[in-house]
Amino acid sequence: MILTLTPNPALDVTYQVDRLRPGHTHRVGTVSERAGGKGFNVSRVLHEMGVPTLAVAPAGGVLGDSIRADLEASGVPHALLPVSAPSRMTVAVVPGDEDPTLFNEAGCALPDEDWDRLLALVAQRLEEAGVLVCSGSMPPAAPADLCARVVELARRWRVPVVVDTSGPALVAAAKAGADVLKPNTAELLEALDVPDPVDGARALCGYGAGAVVLSRGADGMVAVTAEGEWRAVPPFAVRGNATGAGDAAVAALSTGVEEQWEWPLRLRAAVAWSAAAVASPLAGSVDTPTLHRIYDDVLVESL
Amino acid sequence: MILTLTPNPALDVTYQVDRLRPGHTHRVGTVSERAGGKGFNVSRVLHEMGVPTLAVAPAGGVLGDSIRADLEASGVPHALLPVSAPSRMTVAVVPGDEDPTLFNEAGCALPDEDWDRLLALVAQRLEEAGVLVCSGSMPPAAPADLCARVVELARRWRVPVVVDTSGPALVAAAKAGADVLKPNTAELLEALDVPDPVDGARALCGYGAGAVVLSRGADGMVAVTAEGEWRAVPPFAVRGNATGAGDAAVAALSTGVEEQWEWPLRLRAAVAWSAAAVASPLAGSVDTPTLHRIYDDVLVESL
């Protein structure tokens, strides 16, 4: 089972409008809402692909109730920790042809006791876990060492840990010895202030990460590992919704870690699942025909 | 006691942002939320002015819980009917200096049984009521005769009824014999397709309304009644937040109806409370110093 931890979940609300007109009143046509957060998306993809998973996150207030209800409805196994701080919301305004406009609430700070309880909940379920995934942003005022503590917890339980986060937490996860990190190019350049992202990936391994998979959008991915360095490129560009593509890659990588695939196979799966996620309109889902069409033709080669 | 009915309440969420940039991601600074709906605002103003009131509305889902919690916190007496359809949300994006951008969900349709239960709840509390106020939009797919049924219900209980709505419901309320209607100029012109709004107000009286108070923004108000016609103008323009100004006018008019004030006094109060609401940053609240400064100087004269 792959345990995913989403430290900063949200209820993602999407508003379809004809056109966004600043300063005006919009009658919202279609409203949809969904439990949002990168760890949830990883669990959704795993669940869809038939890989056992458990999504762990804090949830509070009425939006926490909505998050719980949506996970129930989706059938994704989950263990949400009830907390007093209300869960946050994001609003995406989607006009017909234009780019969506996003409003992300930062979220409420959790007291330290809640983080301790959340890590205790993770520890309790680690016994059944083959991999721990920690995905997404940290909430405001989260302990600076939260990500490092998650990595250390997994190492104590001898469970490999895959981390997909950004900023200082990315570097902290490397120093704590995370088995796999999956930054994208922008996240890596921002966190390390290096000119070349592949050098940045190597630097993260130098800090202590077991491997770094760098996602480069339509250009595919690069893996820097102790066993070697590879790059993988999709056979053609897939058009669609890039939100959640990175989460599908993390789902593939963590499956590969759990099933002890060789690195070239992990990277092939990560690129294929990611492209299939772009072809699916919903984040946290992969388009199976695209997956089948692309999988064998992903080009994987040593760097 | 003045009973207010809000047929289509919402949780009003306000996002403070630096600047609205269509197609971009915004980190939301301050988030505030509030039980929204014109009837609730009328009850808030009445409660603040020391006039006994009871706010009645349907409420469902987790946003219904938030609406209930906010009314609890505000101290406004309320009786919310639990319904299965989830309550809706509105989002106001407020950039520093620019006009707010509003996103209004239409809301979910209630089954007919819920409307029957809501009217039964109103009927049950009408015994204690001196005035019934029905304020705000009708939800999608509400029965076409809902507003007329509310008016007829109040008439059956011999309770005067004040209606503040728009579109076909405004005309239906007139035909059903509402005691006071309070359209603004745009609402009246849209509902009746007449060139002159005061003629439109007279037409609504011709349909059966007891009186029509036409609100004209900074130009004050005009009352067309069986006892005569008056206009009232504030002594100076008040700058501020016009949202909720009409609700404060309805609060004043319904207080005047309950306490059987003469029409010129009702109109003076409506203009003064309305201006004092503009001076208050929050809808559903009046700025008391402005109220005291303006009240005696409102110019009221026969048309």
Side-chain angles (χ1 to χ4, degrees), chain A residues 27-204:
Chain A
R27 178 165 284 271
V28 177
T30 311
V31 180
S32 55
E33 58 179 49
R34 206 154 188 257
K38 293 169 75 67
F40 290 159
N41 286 342
V42 174
S43 277
R44 282 182 204 277
V45 170
L46 290 169
H47 184 64
E48 196 173 271
M49 297 295 286
V51 180
T53 184
L54 178 75
V56 174
V62 299
L63 297 184
D65 294 344
S66 292
I67 289 171
R68 188 182 305 272
D70 183 60
L71 288 177
E72 293 287 350
S74 71
V76 171
H78 55 278
L80 300 182
L81 180 78
V83 294
S84 54
S87 296
R88 70 197 176 110
M89 181 167 70
T90 73
V91 176
V93 176
V94 182
D97 291 336
E98 298 151 49
D99 286 337
T101 303
L102 306 175
F103 301 97
N104 293 345
E105 297 182 8
C108 274
L110 296 190
D112 285 348
E113 308 85 75
D114 282 346
W115 291 118
D116 294 343
R117 288 168 58 223
L118 186 67
L119 291 191
L121 174 60
V122 170
Q124 189 190 319
R125 307 305 291 260
L126 270 181
E127 206 169 354
E128 318 147 50
V131 177
L132 171 65
V133 172
C134 181
S135 254
S137 63
M138 300 294 144
D145 63 349
L146 180 66
C147 199
R149 282 168 66 193
V150 170
V151 173
E152 283 155 14
L153 181 66
R155 289 173 62 86
R156 212 177 312 142
W157 283 85
R158 299 183 195 284
V159 173
V161 55
V162 178
V163 176
D164 180 8
T165 189
S166 57
L170 176 62
V171 177
K175 291 184 175 168
D179 295 270
V180 181
L181 299 177
K182 198 228 58 67
N184 61 34
T185 304
E187 287 164 347
L188 201 144
L189 295 182
E190 190 214 327
L192 286 188
D193 194 20
V194 286
D196 177 63
V198 176
D199 284 343
R202 291 178 186 130
L204 286 176

Side-chain angles (χ1 to χ4, degrees), chain B residues 10-108:
Chain B
L11 185 73
D12 288 344
V13 175
T14 301
Y15 283 168
Q16 302 280 352
V17 297
D18 288 338
R19 199 158 69 84
L20 174 55
R21 299 168 64 214
H24 286 79
T25 296
H26 302 72
R27 179 165 282 272
V28 177
T30 310
V31 180
S32 54
E33 58 179 49
R34 206 153 187 257
K38 293 170 73 71
F40 290 157
N41 285 343
V42 174
S43 277
R44 283 181 205 276
V45 169
L46 290 169
H47 184 65
E48 196 173 272
M49 297 296 286
V51 180
T53 185
L54 178 74
V56 174
V62 299
L63 297 183
D65 293 344
S66 291
I67 289 171
R68 189 182 304 272
D70 183 61
L71 288 177
E72 292 287 349
S74 71
V76 172
H78 55 278
L80 300 183
L81 181 77
V83 294
S84 54
S87 296
R88 71 196 174 110
M89 180 168 72
T90 74
V91 176
V93 176
V94 182
D97 290 337
E98 298 151 49
D99 286 337
T101 303
L102 305 175
F103 301 96
N104 293 344
E105 296 181 11
C108 273

